[in-house]
Amino acid sequence: MKIDSSNYTHMGIYNGDILVIDRAKKINQNSLVVYESEGHFVLGRVCNIRKTLEDTIITGAITHVIHTVKEL
């Protein structure tokens, strides 16, 4: 998955980075995941996802972040 947002810099994930997502990996409360909520893909820790949203679907655990190299 390629990130097209600057909303995740606090997680060390930057605009243009590529995420490797494992849909089979066991997920725990501290896992960094991609989830679908209200028609959008969002990144977050499992422990911070609002459990009350019925339309929240965890699609997989993020296992690697590949940072892009900016040309000078």
Side-chain angles (χ1 to χ4, degrees):
M1 173 179 183
K2 184 174 182 180
I3 297 297
D4 189 22
S5 173
S6 297
N7 294 336
Y8 303 106
T9 57
H10 64 284
M11 295 180 188
I13 300 171
Y14 301 94
N15 189 30
D17 285 356
I18 302 214
L19 305 180
V20 177
I21 302 163
D22 188 342
R23 296 181 69 180
K25 183 174 174 142
K26 185 176 178 180
I27 295 173
N28 61 43
Q29 286 296 315
N30 201 35
S31 294
L32 184 58
V33 297
V34 175
Y35 63 96
E36 186 178 349
S37 179
E38 299 176 3
H40 300 283
F41 288 109
V42 184
L43 309 181
R45 299 261 177 220
V46 172
C47 59
N48 294 333
I49 297 173
R50 286 192 247 158
K51 306 285 185 200
T52 57
L53 296 175
E54 292 181 11
D55 60 345
T56 300
I57 300 168
I58 295 177
T59 55
I62 298 169
T63 57
H64 296 85
V65 178
I66 302 169
H67 294 293
T68 55
V69 177
K70 307 285 183 194
E71 291 188 36
L72 298 175

